[in-house]
Amino acid sequence: MSNQQSLDDRKRNILKAVVDDYIETAEPVGSKALVDKHHFTWSSATIRNEMAELEALGYLEQPHTSAGRIPSDKGYRAYVDNLVQVEDVSTEEAEKIRHYLKDSLDELTGLIRKASTLLSDTTGYTSLALSPHVTQSHLQQIKMLMIEPGRALVVVVLSAGVVKDRIVRVPDILDANQLMQIAAAIEEGLSGMTLNDITLVTVASAARHAALPESLLNQVLYEAYVSIKQADNLELYIEGQHNLLSFPEFHDINKAQTFFKTLACDGMIAGYMSELKENDPEQSDNSFDTEDPCVQDGKRICPAYMIRIGQEIAVEGLRDCSFVTTTYKMGSVVAGRIGVIGPKRMAYSKVISNISFVKQTINENLRQIAQGEEISEENRT
Amino acid sequence: MSNQQSLDDRKRNILKAVVDDYIETAEPVGSKALVDKHHFTWSSATIRNEMAELEALGYLEQPHTSAGRIPSDKGYRAYVDNLVQVEDVSTEEAEKIRHYLKDSLDELTGLIRKASTLLSDTTGYTSLALSPHVTQSHLQQIKMLMIEPGRALVVVVLSAGVVKDRIVRVPDILDANQLMQIAAAIEEGLSGMTLNDITLVTVASAARHAALPESLLNQVLYEAYVSIKQADNLELYIEGQHNLLSFPEFHDINKAQTFFKTLACDGMIAGYMSELKENDPEQSDNSFDTEDPCVQDGKRICPAYMIRIGQEIAVEGLRDCSFVTTTYKMGSVVAGRIGVIGPKRMAYSKVISNISFVKQTINENLRQIAQGEEISEENRT
DNA sequence: ATTAGCACTCTAAAGGTAAGAGTGCTAACA
DNA sequence: TGTTAGCACTCTTACCTTTAGAGTGCTAAT
C-alpha cells in the first residue's frame, strides 16, 4: 500500500496505460506498442526499464520471458484505487436506467431485479443482486387468508414496506374466522417488534389472546412463526451469465464451467455478498459523487462502490474474476447489495459509473417508498 | 416414416448399436468397433454395407469420407421411436425423487421448481419447467389487503389451488375497509368465471355493487383486473445450465454461448413450450407405463413424454439439441410442461425413465391438491 | 448373400522451421 | 546520472510436412 506512494508520475502513467490497454485488447502489452499508442515522450527503452521495475514491485506480470506485461492483482488494485478515470454515465444510458426503474415503485424485489438486468445489459458483464435484508425491520402486519380447508396464505408486512407471503397447511377443521382471529392476535402482540426479537415463544404468547384450543393453535403458530422468519430469506438474482462467454478468459471451457457452477450455488454467493463489508484498509473512499445520500457532513459514510479483485474474492470459483458491488438503502439502513462480476480485465470505468448511477437511482426510488412508509406510521399512532 | 417399416432386423440392430455407441462416446463409430463391442455374428464388411445403406436412407451421416458414422436427426428419431430400451428408474433415484417432492404439497410452483432441479440433477442435463397454465381455471377468491396508504396487496385464488399476488398502487385516500368492499364485490360478481371470460368490463360491472364513487374505483379496478389476468403469466424455471458445458458438443464457445443466450430469452422459450402439442404423426404413443393416469381404457390419451430432436425444435438457437418433455396435470386438465434439454446425443433411455417418473410423481401430488380442492368446493355449495 | 483383402482417403498428431514480437543488456549520449 | 539506440536472445505462434491409423468402398472369392 505504501508502495503506491513511491510510484512516481511516470510509473503511474505507464501502469495506467498498461492496464487500460490490457483491458481493451486482452493481449500482453509491450513497450513499443505503448509508446505508439499513447504518444509518450519517453522511448520504448525507458518504458522497458520502468516496466521491469513495476514488475519487481509486483504491479505487473509477464506470461513468459519474451511477452509483454499484464497487470497483477496488485496492479489492478492500484489502478482502481488511484488511476482509473471514472467516466460519466452517458445521457442515453442515464435516461434508460431512470426510465426502466421508474415504474417499479410498488414492488421492491421487482425493482432490484430490474436493476440487475440493467447492469448486465449496460455493462456487458454478469450482474448479481441481493434482495433486501430486513432483520432490523419490524413487523407491521400479519394476515392469514383461508385458501381452502387445510390451506392458508400467510402475508407478512414489514416496516420497510416489504411484503412476503407463503402458503401453509393448517388443520382442516379451522375456519376462516378462527384463522383471522389468530393472525389478529399475533399482529396485536408482535407488531412493532423487529424480526430478530420475534421467537416462537413470543408468537405463542401473543396468540394466546385468540380464544382457541391450544391443539388447534399449535400448528398454525409454528407456520406463522416460520413465515415471519422467512421474510428475511435472502434471494439472489443473476443476470447475463452468458455475457462472460464473450471474453477470452472464459474461452477455456473449464474456467467457464467453474464460473457457472459457482454461480449456481446461490446460497453460498448470497451469503458471501451479504457479509461483504467496507472494512478493507486498501479500499479508498472513492468519493466522486456529492449528490449521494451516503455522504454526510462532506464525509462519505459508505463508499459509492466496492471492488474485489481476483484473490481478494473469498469464493473459490470466482478467483479469476473481479467483483464490483454497491449497497442500496431503504430509509437509512443498508438493505442489500447489487453488483457486477466479470473478468479481472474489466472496464472498471464504465462499470463503476453505471453501478453508482444505478445505486443512486434505486436509493431515490426506495426513499420515496420509505417516505410513504413514514407517513403511514404517523397515521397509525 | 414408412421407411422405418422397411428396416429389416439387422439394420435395426446396427442402427441401434451405432446410436448407443455414439451416445456413449461422442466419436463416430466404425464397422470394426461395432463388431468388437456388440459381438455381432456378421462381419465388419457386411456391417459396412448395411451402414452405407442406412446412410443412403438418411439414418446415418459421415463427418468425412474416412470416418465412422454418426446418427442423423432421422436416425435419432427412429431410435427414440422404435429402438431405445427404456430402463427402469433406479430404486434409489425413485426414492430420492419421491422424498424430495413429498413436502411440497402446499406450494405448486415450489413443487415444479423442485421437480426441475431433480431432473437436471439426476440426468446431468439442463431442465426446463413451465409454471402451470391456468386460463381454464376459474376465479375463486380475490382479496385486497392494505399495506400502507396508497399500496395494497391483491391476492387471487383460482380453482386449481393456484394463489398469486401482486402489490399495486391505489389512491391514497382509500382506506382498508373500502378496499375490502371492492374486493368482496368483485369476488361476489366474478367467482366461478374462468380467467378467459373475465374482462375489464365484467370486473367493472361487478365492482359497481361496492357503493363507492367511480373516481376512486377506476384505478383499483384496473389493478384488480391486471392481477387476475397476471395469474396466468407463464414462468419458466431453468436448472443445471452449466451441466451442458461438460459435453464435447458445447466445447465450442460459440455453440455454448448461443445456447445460453437462447435460454436467457425465457419468454420465447416459455411460449414455445406452452405451444408444444402432441400432434406429430411421427410421434409414437410410447406407452410403457400402465400406472400412468393418462391411460384410459387401456389407450394412452396423452403420451408419457414427447421428444423433439435437432431441426424439429422450432427455436433457432436450440437446433443442436434434443428436448424431452412431458406434461403435468392438475385434476384432469394439462397444467404445464417440464422437460430436459441436452445434446442430440442424449442418454434418452435414462432421461425418458426419469422424466416419466417425475411426471407421475408430480401428478400424484397434484391430484391430492386437486382433491382437497374438490372438497372445498363441495363445502361451498 | 456374405466376407476377406486391399487400395484409397482423410484426420489428427508430431516434428520442424520461420517470422515476429518483446525483452534485457550494453554502450553511447546529453 | 538519466535516457536511448542498437542488438542479441528468447519464446510463442503459425504454418508446413510427414506419418500413423482408423475407416471406407470395391472387388473377387466363397
Coordinates of all heavy atoms in Angstrom, one line a residue, chain A residues 105-107 140-141 143 145-149 151 153 155 157 161 163 165 167-169 241-243 245-246 250-253 256-257 260-261 264 369 372-373 376 379, chain B residues 105-107 140-141 143 145-149 151 153 155 157 161 163 165 167-169 241-243 245-246 250-253 256-257 260-261 264 369 372-373 375-376 379:
Chain A
L105 N -42.0 1.3 -8.6 CA -42.1 1.9 -7.2 C -42.8 0.9 -6.3 O -42.6 0.9 -5.1 CB -42.9 3.2 -7.3 CG -42.1 4.3 -7.9 CD1 -42.9 5.6 -8.0 CD2 -40.9 4.6 -7.0
D106 N -43.7 0.1 -6.8 CA -44.5 -0.7 -5.9 C -43.9 -1.9 -5.4 O -44.1 -2.3 -4.3 CB -45.8 -1.0 -6.7 CG -46.4 0.2 -7.3 OD1 -46.5 1.2 -6.5 OD2 -46.7 0.2 -8.4
E107 N -43.1 -2.5 -6.2 CA -42.6 -3.8 -5.8 C -41.1 -3.8 -5.7 O -40.3 -3.6 -6.6 CB -43.0 -4.9 -6.8 CG -43.8 -6.0 -6.2 CD -43.6 -7.2 -7.0 OE1 -43.6 -7.1 -8.3 OE2 -43.4 -8.3 -6.4
Q140 N -45.2 -5.3 10.9 CA -46.3 -4.3 10.9 C -47.6 -5.0 10.8 O -48.5 -4.7 11.5 CB -46.1 -3.4 9.7 CG -46.0 -2.0 10.2 CD -45.7 -1.0 9.0 OE1 -46.2 -1.3 7.9 NE2 -45.0 0.0 9.3
Q141 N -47.7 -6.0 9.9 CA -49.0 -6.7 9.8 C -48.7 -8.2 9.6 O -47.7 -8.5 9.0 CB -49.8 -6.2 8.6 CG -50.2 -4.8 8.6 CD -51.0 -4.5 7.4 OE1 -52.0 -5.2 7.0 NE2 -50.7 -3.4 6.7
K143 N -51.3 -11.3 8.2 CA -52.7 -11.7 7.9 C -52.7 -13.2 7.5 O -51.7 -13.6 6.9 CB -53.3 -10.9 6.8 CG -53.2 -9.4 7.0 CD -54.2 -8.9 8.0 CE -54.2 -7.4 8.1 NZ -54.6 -6.9 9.4
L145 N -55.1 -15.9 5.3 CA -56.2 -16.0 4.4 C -56.5 -17.4 4.1 O -55.6 -18.1 3.7 CB -55.8 -15.2 3.2 CG -56.9 -14.6 2.3 CD1 -57.6 -13.5 3.2 CD2 -56.3 -14.0 1.1
M146 N -57.7 -17.9 4.3 CA -58.0 -19.3 4.0 C -58.1 -19.5 2.5 O -58.9 -18.8 1.9 CB -59.3 -19.7 4.7 CG -59.6 -21.1 4.7 SD -58.5 -22.1 5.7 CE -59.3 -21.9 7.3
I147 N -57.3 -20.4 2.0 CA -57.4 -20.7 0.5 C -58.5 -21.7 0.3 O -59.3 -21.6 -0.6 CB -56.1 -21.2 0.0 CG1 -55.0 -20.3 0.3 CG2 -56.2 -21.5 -1.5 CD1 -55.0 -19.0 -0.4
E148 N -58.4 -22.7 1.1 CA -59.4 -23.8 1.1 C -59.2 -24.5 2.4 O -58.2 -24.3 3.1 CB -59.1 -24.7 -0.1 CG -57.8 -25.5 0.0 CD -57.4 -26.2 -1.3 OE1 -57.7 -25.6 -2.3 OE2 -56.7 -27.2 -1.1
P149 N -60.1 -25.4 2.8 CA -59.9 -26.1 4.1 C -58.6 -26.7 4.1 O -58.2 -27.5 3.2 CB -61.0 -27.1 4.1 CG -62.1 -26.6 3.2 CD -61.4 -25.8 2.1
R151 N -55.6 -25.2 3.8 CA -54.5 -24.5 3.2 C -54.8 -23.0 3.4 O -55.9 -22.5 3.2 CB -54.4 -24.8 1.7 CG -53.8 -26.1 1.4 CD -53.8 -26.3 -0.1 NE -52.8 -25.6 -0.8 CZ -53.0 -25.1 -2.0 NH1 -54.1 -25.2 -2.6 NH2 -52.0 -24.5 -2.6
L153 N -53.0 -18.8 3.2 CA -51.9 -17.9 2.8 C -51.6 -17.0 4.0 O -52.4 -16.4 4.6 CB -52.4 -17.0 1.6 CG -51.4 -16.1 1.0 CD1 -50.4 -16.9 0.2 CD2 -52.0 -15.0 0.2
V155 N -49.6 -13.7 5.0 CA -49.0 -12.5 4.5 C -48.3 -11.7 5.6 O -48.9 -11.4 6.6 CB -50.0 -11.6 3.8 CG1 -49.4 -10.3 3.2 CG2 -50.8 -12.3 2.7
V157 N -46.2 -8.3 6.5 CA -45.8 -6.9 6.1 C -44.9 -6.3 7.1 O -45.1 -6.3 8.3 CB -47.1 -6.0 5.9 CG1 -46.6 -4.6 5.4 CG2 -48.1 -6.6 5.0
G161 N -41.8 -1.8 4.2 CA -42.6 -1.9 3.0 C -42.5 -3.2 2.3 O -42.9 -3.4 1.2
V163 N -43.2 -7.0 1.6 CA -44.3 -7.9 1.8 C -43.9 -9.3 1.4 O -43.3 -9.5 0.3 CB -45.5 -7.5 0.9 CG1 -46.7 -8.4 1.1 CG2 -45.9 -6.1 1.3
D165 N -45.2 -13.5 1.3 CA -46.2 -14.4 1.7 C -45.9 -15.9 1.4 O -44.8 -16.1 0.8 CB -47.6 -14.1 1.0 CG -47.3 -13.8 -0.4 OD1 -46.7 -14.7 -1.0 OD2 -47.8 -12.8 -0.9
I167 N -47.7 -20.1 1.4 CA -48.9 -20.9 1.6 C -48.5 -22.0 2.6 O -47.4 -22.6 2.5 CB -49.3 -21.6 0.3 CG1 -49.7 -20.5 -0.7 CG2 -50.4 -22.6 0.5 CD1 -50.1 -21.0 -2.1
V168 N -49.4 -22.2 3.6 CA -49.1 -23.2 4.6 C -50.3 -24.1 4.8 O -51.4 -23.8 4.4 CB -48.8 -22.5 6.0 CG1 -47.6 -21.6 5.8 CG2 -50.0 -21.8 6.5
R169 N -50.0 -25.3 5.4 CA -51.1 -26.2 5.8 C -51.5 -25.8 7.2 O -50.7 -25.4 8.0 CB -50.5 -27.6 5.8 CG -51.0 -28.4 4.7 CD -50.6 -29.8 4.7 NE -50.5 -30.2 3.3 CZ -51.6 -30.4 2.6 NH1 -52.8 -30.2 3.1 NH2 -51.5 -30.7 1.3
Q241 N -25.4 -14.1 -17.4 CA -24.3 -15.1 -17.3 C -23.6 -15.3 -18.6 O -22.4 -15.4 -18.7 CB -24.8 -16.4 -16.7 CG -25.2 -16.4 -15.3 CD -25.4 -17.8 -14.8 OE1 -24.5 -18.6 -14.9 NE2 -26.6 -18.1 -14.2
H242 N -24.4 -15.4 -19.6 CA -23.8 -15.8 -20.9 C -22.9 -14.7 -21.5 O -22.0 -15.0 -22.3 CB -24.9 -16.0 -21.9 CG -25.8 -14.8 -22.2 ND1 -25.5 -13.8 -23.1 CD2 -27.0 -14.5 -21.5 CE1 -26.5 -12.9 -23.0 NE2 -27.4 -13.3 -22.1
N243 N -23.0 -13.5 -20.9 CA -22.1 -12.4 -21.4 C -20.7 -12.8 -21.3 O -19.9 -12.4 -22.1 CB -22.4 -11.1 -20.6 CG -23.6 -10.4 -21.0 OD1 -24.1 -10.6 -22.1 ND2 -24.2 -9.5 -20.2
L245 N -19.1 -15.4 -21.6 CA -18.5 -16.3 -22.6 C -17.9 -15.5 -23.8 O -17.1 -16.1 -24.5 CB -19.6 -17.2 -23.1 CG -20.1 -18.3 -22.1 CD1 -21.2 -19.2 -22.7 CD2 -18.9 -19.2 -21.8
S246 N -18.2 -14.3 -23.9 CA -17.6 -13.5 -25.0 C -16.1 -13.2 -24.7 O -15.4 -13.0 -25.6 CB -18.3 -12.1 -25.1 OG -19.7 -12.2 -25.1
F250 N -12.7 -16.7 -20.7 CA -13.7 -17.7 -20.4 C -13.8 -18.7 -21.6 O -14.7 -19.5 -21.7 CB -15.0 -17.2 -20.0 CG -15.0 -16.5 -18.7 CD1 -14.7 -15.1 -18.6 CD2 -15.3 -17.2 -17.5 CE1 -14.7 -14.5 -17.4 CE2 -15.2 -16.5 -16.3 CZ -14.9 -15.2 -16.2
H251 N -12.9 -18.5 -22.6 CA -12.9 -19.5 -23.7 C -12.5 -20.8 -23.3 O -12.7 -21.8 -24.0 CB -12.1 -18.9 -24.9 CG -12.8 -17.9 -25.6 ND1 -14.0 -17.3 -25.1 CD2 -12.6 -17.3 -26.8 CE1 -14.4 -16.4 -26.0 NE2 -13.6 -16.4 -27.1
D252 N -11.7 -20.9 -22.2 CA -11.4 -22.2 -21.6 C -12.6 -22.8 -20.9 O -13.1 -22.2 -20.0 CB -10.2 -22.0 -20.6 CG -9.9 -23.3 -19.9 OD1 -10.6 -24.3 -20.1 OD2 -9.0 -23.2 -19.0
I253 N -13.1 -23.9 -21.5 CA -14.3 -24.4 -21.0 C -14.3 -24.7 -19.5 O -15.3 -24.5 -18.8 CB -14.7 -25.7 -21.8 CG1 -15.2 -25.4 -23.2 CG2 -15.7 -26.6 -21.1 CD1 -16.5 -24.8 -23.2
A256 N -15.0 -21.6 -17.7 CA -16.4 -21.2 -17.8 C -17.3 -22.0 -17.0 O -18.2 -21.5 -16.3 CB -16.8 -21.3 -19.3
Q257 N -17.0 -23.3 -17.0 CA -17.8 -24.2 -16.2 C -17.7 -24.0 -14.7 O -18.7 -23.9 -14.0 CB -17.5 -25.7 -16.5 CG -18.6 -26.6 -16.0 CD -18.5 -28.0 -16.6 OE1 -17.4 -28.4 -17.1 NE2 -19.5 -28.8 -16.5
F260 N -19.8 -20.9 -14.0 CA -21.2 -21.2 -14.0 C -21.7 -22.0 -12.8 O -22.7 -21.8 -12.1 CB -21.7 -21.8 -15.3 CG -21.7 -20.9 -16.4 CD1 -20.9 -21.1 -17.5 CD2 -22.5 -19.8 -16.4 CE1 -21.0 -20.2 -18.6 CE2 -22.6 -18.9 -17.5 CZ -21.8 -19.1 -18.6
K261 N -20.8 -23.0 -12.5 CA -21.2 -23.9 -11.4 C -21.2 -23.1 -10.1 O -22.1 -23.3 -9.2 CB -20.1 -25.0 -11.3 CG -20.5 -26.3 -12.0 CD -19.6 -27.4 -11.6 CE -19.8 -28.7 -12.4 NZ -18.7 -29.5 -12.5
A264 N -24.2 -21.1 -9.6 CA -25.4 -21.9 -9.4 C -25.6 -22.1 -7.9 O -26.7 -22.4 -7.5 CB -25.3 -23.2 -10.2
I369 N -40.5 5.2 -1.4 CA -41.3 4.2 -0.6 C -41.2 4.4 0.9 O -42.1 4.4 1.6 CB -40.8 2.8 -1.0 CG1 -41.0 2.5 -2.5 CG2 -41.5 1.7 -0.1 CD1 -40.7 1.1 -2.9
G372 N -43.3 7.2 2.1 CA -44.7 6.8 2.2 C -44.9 6.0 3.4 O -45.9 6.1 4.2
E373 N -43.9 5.2 3.7 CA -43.9 4.4 4.9 C -44.0 5.2 6.2 O -44.8 4.9 7.1 CB -42.6 3.6 4.9 CG -42.5 2.5 6.0 CD -43.6 1.5 5.7 OE1 -44.0 1.3 4.5 OE2 -44.0 0.8 6.7
S376 N -47.3 6.6 6.7 CA -48.2 5.5 7.2 C -48.0 5.3 8.7 O -49.0 5.1 9.4 CB -48.0 4.2 6.4 OG -47.5 3.2 7.3
N379 N -49.7 8.0 10.7 CA -51.2 7.8 10.7 C -51.6 6.8 11.7 O -52.6 6.9 12.3 CB -51.6 7.3 9.3 CG -51.6 8.5 8.3 OD1 -51.3 9.6 8.6 ND2 -52.0 8.2 7.1
Chain B
L105 N -46.3 -30.2 -1.0 CA -47.7 -30.3 -1.3 C -48.4 -29.0 -1.3 O -49.4 -28.8 -2.0 CB -48.4 -31.2 -0.2 CG -48.1 -32.7 -0.4 CD1 -48.7 -33.5 0.8 CD2 -48.6 -33.2 -1.7
D106 N -47.9 -28.0 -0.6 CA -48.6 -26.8 -0.4 C -48.4 -25.8 -1.5 O -49.3 -25.0 -1.8 CB -48.2 -26.2 0.9 CG -48.3 -27.2 2.0 OD1 -49.4 -27.8 2.1 OD2 -47.4 -27.4 2.8
E107 N -47.2 -25.8 -2.0 CA -46.9 -24.7 -2.9 C -46.6 -25.3 -4.3 O -45.6 -26.0 -4.5 CB -45.7 -23.9 -2.5 CG -46.1 -22.5 -2.3 CD -44.8 -21.7 -2.5 OE1 -43.8 -22.1 -1.9 OE2 -44.9 -20.6 -3.1
Q140 N -61.7 -18.0 -7.7 CA -62.4 -18.4 -6.5 C -62.5 -17.3 -5.5 O -63.5 -17.1 -4.8 CB -61.7 -19.7 -5.9 CG -62.6 -20.8 -5.8 CD -61.9 -22.1 -5.3 OE1 -61.0 -22.0 -4.5 NE2 -62.4 -23.2 -5.8
Q141 N -61.3 -16.7 -5.3 CA -61.3 -15.6 -4.3 C -60.5 -14.5 -4.9 O -59.5 -14.7 -5.6 CB -60.7 -16.0 -3.0 CG -61.3 -17.1 -2.3 CD -60.6 -17.4 -0.9 OE1 -60.3 -16.5 -0.2 NE2 -60.3 -18.7 -0.7
K143 N -58.8 -11.0 -2.9 CA -58.8 -10.2 -1.6 C -57.8 -9.1 -1.9 O -56.8 -9.2 -2.6 CB -58.2 -11.1 -0.5 CG -59.0 -12.3 -0.2 CD -60.3 -12.1 0.4 CE -61.0 -13.5 0.7 NZ -62.5 -13.3 0.7
L145 N -55.5 -6.3 0.4 CA -55.1 -6.0 1.7 C -54.3 -4.7 1.7 O -53.4 -4.6 0.9 CB -54.1 -7.2 2.1 CG -53.9 -7.5 3.5 CD1 -55.3 -8.0 4.1 CD2 -52.9 -8.6 3.7
M146 N -54.6 -3.8 2.6 CA -53.9 -2.5 2.6 C -52.5 -2.7 3.2 O -52.4 -3.2 4.4 CB -54.7 -1.5 3.3 CG -54.2 -0.1 3.2 SD -54.4 0.6 1.5 CE -56.1 1.2 1.6
I147 N -51.5 -2.4 2.5 CA -50.1 -2.4 3.1 C -49.8 -1.2 3.9 O -49.4 -1.2 5.0 CB -49.1 -2.6 2.0 CG1 -49.4 -3.8 1.1 CG2 -47.7 -2.7 2.6 CD1 -49.3 -5.1 1.8
E148 N -50.1 -0.1 3.2 CA -49.9 1.2 3.8 C -50.8 2.2 2.9 O -51.1 1.7 1.8 CB -48.5 1.6 3.8 CG -47.9 1.8 2.4 CD -46.4 1.9 2.3 OE1 -45.7 1.3 3.2 OE2 -45.9 2.6 1.4
P149 N -51.0 3.4 3.3 CA -51.8 4.2 2.4 C -51.2 4.3 1.0 O -50.1 4.6 0.9 CB -51.8 5.6 3.1 CG -51.5 5.3 4.5 CD -50.7 4.1 4.5
R151 N -50.7 1.8 -1.1 CA -50.2 0.5 -1.6 C -51.0 -0.7 -1.0 O -51.3 -0.7 0.2 CB -48.8 0.3 -1.2 CG -47.8 1.2 -1.9 CD -46.4 1.0 -1.4 NE -45.8 -0.2 -1.7 CZ -44.9 -0.9 -1.0 NH1 -44.7 -0.5 0.2 NH2 -44.4 -2.0 -1.4
L153 N -52.0 -5.1 -1.4 CA -51.6 -6.4 -1.9 C -52.9 -7.0 -2.4 O -53.9 -7.1 -1.7 CB -51.1 -7.3 -0.8 CG -50.6 -8.7 -1.2 CD1 -49.3 -8.6 -2.0 CD2 -50.5 -9.6 0.0
V155 N -54.6 -10.5 -3.7 CA -54.4 -11.9 -3.7 C -55.5 -12.5 -4.6 O -56.6 -12.3 -4.4 CB -54.5 -12.5 -2.3 CG1 -54.3 -14.0 -2.3 CG2 -53.4 -11.8 -1.4
V157 N -57.0 -16.1 -5.8 CA -57.0 -17.6 -5.6 C -57.9 -18.2 -6.7 O -59.0 -17.9 -7.0 CB -57.6 -18.0 -4.3 CG1 -57.6 -19.5 -4.1 CG2 -56.9 -17.3 -3.2
G161 N -56.3 -24.2 -7.1 CA -55.5 -24.1 -5.9 C -54.3 -23.2 -6.1 O -53.4 -23.1 -5.3
V163 N -52.4 -19.7 -6.2 CA -52.5 -18.5 -5.5 C -51.5 -17.5 -6.1 O -50.3 -17.9 -6.2 CB -52.3 -18.6 -4.0 CG1 -52.4 -17.3 -3.3 CG2 -53.2 -19.6 -3.4
D165 N -50.2 -13.3 -6.1 CA -50.4 -12.0 -5.5 C -49.5 -10.9 -6.1 O -48.5 -11.3 -6.8 CB -50.3 -12.0 -4.0 CG -49.1 -12.6 -3.6 OD1 -48.0 -12.3 -4.1 OD2 -49.1 -13.5 -2.7
I167 N -48.4 -6.5 -5.6 CA -48.5 -5.3 -4.9 C -48.9 -4.2 -5.9 O -48.3 -4.1 -7.0 CB -47.2 -4.9 -4.2 CG1 -46.9 -5.9 -3.1 CG2 -47.3 -3.5 -3.6 CD1 -45.6 -5.7 -2.4
V168 N -49.9 -3.4 -5.6 CA -50.4 -2.4 -6.5 C -50.5 -1.0 -5.8 O -50.6 -1.0 -4.6 CB -51.7 -2.7 -7.1 CG1 -51.6 -4.1 -7.9 CG2 -52.8 -2.8 -6.1
R169 N -50.5 0.0 -6.6 CA -50.8 1.3 -6.1 C -52.3 1.6 -6.1 O -53.0 1.2 -7.0 CB -50.1 2.4 -6.9 CG -49.0 3.0 -6.3 CD -48.3 4.0 -7.0 NE -46.9 4.0 -6.6 CZ -46.5 4.4 -5.3 NH1 -47.4 4.8 -4.5 NH2 -45.2 4.3 -5.0
Q241 N -27.9 -25.4 -16.2 CA -27.4 -24.9 -17.4 C -25.9 -25.3 -17.6 O -25.5 -25.8 -18.6 CB -27.4 -23.4 -17.6 CG -28.8 -22.9 -17.8 CD -28.8 -21.4 -18.2 OE1 -28.2 -21.0 -19.1 NE2 -29.6 -20.6 -17.5
H242 N -25.2 -25.2 -16.5 CA -23.7 -25.5 -16.6 C -23.5 -26.9 -16.9 O -22.4 -27.2 -17.4 CB -23.1 -25.1 -15.3 CG -23.6 -25.9 -14.1 ND1 -23.1 -27.1 -13.7 CD2 -24.6 -25.6 -13.2 CE1 -23.8 -27.5 -12.7 NE2 -24.7 -26.6 -12.3
N243 N -24.4 -27.8 -16.7 CA -24.2 -29.2 -17.0 C -23.7 -29.4 -18.4 O -22.9 -30.2 -18.7 CB -25.5 -30.0 -16.8 CG -25.7 -30.3 -15.3 OD1 -24.8 -30.2 -14.5 ND2 -26.9 -30.7 -14.9
L245 N -22.0 -27.8 -20.4 CA -20.6 -27.5 -20.7 C -19.7 -28.7 -20.6 O -18.6 -28.7 -21.1 CB -20.1 -26.4 -19.8 CG -20.6 -25.0 -20.1 CD1 -20.1 -24.0 -19.1 CD2 -20.3 -24.5 -21.5
S246 N -20.2 -29.7 -20.0 CA -19.3 -31.0 -19.9 C -19.3 -31.7 -21.2 O -18.3 -32.5 -21.4 CB -19.9 -31.9 -18.9 OG -20.3 -31.3 -17.7
F250 N -20.5 -28.9 -26.7 CA -20.6 -27.5 -26.3 C -19.2 -26.9 -25.9 O -19.1 -25.9 -25.3 CB -21.5 -27.4 -25.1 CG -23.0 -27.6 -25.4 CD1 -23.5 -28.9 -25.4 CD2 -23.8 -26.6 -25.8 CE1 -24.8 -29.2 -25.7 CE2 -25.1 -26.9 -26.2 CZ -25.6 -28.2 -26.1
H251 N -18.2 -27.7 -26.3 CA -16.8 -27.1 -26.1 C -16.5 -26.0 -27.0 O -15.6 -25.2 -26.8 CB -15.8 -28.2 -26.2 CG -15.8 -29.1 -25.0 ND1 -16.7 -29.1 -24.0 CD2 -14.9 -30.1 -24.6 CE1 -16.4 -29.9 -23.0 NE2 -15.3 -30.5 -23.4
D252 N -17.3 -25.9 -28.1 CA -17.2 -24.8 -29.0 C -17.9 -23.6 -28.3 O -19.1 -23.6 -28.1 CB -17.8 -25.1 -30.3 CG -17.9 -23.9 -31.2 OD1 -17.4 -22.8 -30.8 OD2 -18.4 -24.0 -32.4
I253 N -17.1 -22.6 -27.9 CA -17.7 -21.5 -27.2 C -18.9 -20.8 -27.9 O -19.8 -20.5 -27.2 CB -16.6 -20.4 -26.9 CG1 -15.6 -20.9 -25.9 CG2 -17.2 -19.1 -26.6 CD1 -16.3 -20.9 -24.5
A256 N -21.9 -22.9 -27.2 CA -22.3 -22.7 -25.8 C -23.0 -21.4 -25.6 O -24.0 -21.3 -25.0 CB -21.1 -22.8 -24.9
Q257 N -22.4 -20.3 -26.2 CA -23.0 -19.0 -26.0 C -24.4 -18.9 -26.6 O -25.3 -18.4 -26.0 CB -22.1 -17.9 -26.5 CG -22.4 -16.6 -26.0 CD -21.4 -15.5 -26.3 OE1 -20.5 -15.7 -27.1 NE2 -21.4 -14.4 -25.6
F260 N -26.8 -20.6 -24.3 CA -27.1 -19.8 -23.1 C -27.9 -18.6 -23.4 O -28.8 -18.2 -22.7 CB -25.8 -19.4 -22.3 CG -25.2 -20.5 -21.6 CD1 -23.9 -21.0 -21.9 CD2 -25.8 -21.2 -20.6 CE1 -23.3 -22.0 -21.2 CE2 -25.3 -22.3 -19.9 CZ -24.0 -22.7 -20.2
K261 N -27.5 -17.9 -24.5 CA -28.3 -16.7 -24.9 C -29.7 -17.1 -25.2 O -30.6 -16.4 -24.8 CB -27.6 -16.1 -26.1 CG -26.6 -15.0 -25.8 CD -26.3 -14.3 -27.1 CE -25.1 -13.3 -26.9 NZ -24.4 -13.0 -28.1
A264 N -31.7 -17.6 -22.2 CA -32.0 -16.4 -21.4 C -33.2 -15.7 -21.9 O -33.8 -14.9 -21.1 CB -30.8 -15.4 -21.5
I369 N -53.8 -32.3 -4.2 CA -54.2 -31.0 -4.0 C -55.6 -30.8 -4.7 O -56.5 -30.2 -4.1 CB -53.2 -30.0 -4.7 CG1 -51.8 -30.1 -4.0 CG2 -53.7 -28.6 -4.7 CD1 -50.8 -29.1 -4.5
G372 N -58.3 -32.1 -2.5 CA -58.6 -31.1 -1.4 C -59.5 -30.0 -2.0 O -60.5 -29.6 -1.3
E373 N -59.2 -29.6 -3.2 CA -59.9 -28.5 -3.8 C -61.4 -28.9 -4.0 O -62.3 -28.1 -3.7 CB -59.2 -28.3 -5.2 CG -59.7 -27.2 -6.0 CD -59.4 -25.9 -5.2 OE1 -58.4 -25.9 -4.4 OE2 -60.1 -24.9 -5.4
I375 N -63.2 -31.0 -2.4 CA -63.8 -31.0 -1.1 C -64.2 -29.6 -0.7 O -65.3 -29.3 -0.4 CB -62.9 -31.5 0.0 CG1 -62.6 -33.0 -0.2 CG2 -63.5 -31.3 1.4 CD1 -61.5 -33.6 0.6
S376 N -63.3 -28.7 -1.0 CA -63.5 -27.3 -0.6 C -64.7 -26.8 -1.4 O -65.5 -26.0 -0.9 CB -62.3 -26.4 -0.9 OG -62.5 -25.4 -1.9
N379 N -68.0 -28.0 0.0 CA -68.3 -27.2 1.3 C -68.9 -25.9 0.9 O -69.8 -25.4 1.7 CB -67.0 -27.0 2.1 CG -66.5 -28.2 2.7 OD1 -67.2 -29.3 2.6 ND2 -65.4 -28.1 3.4

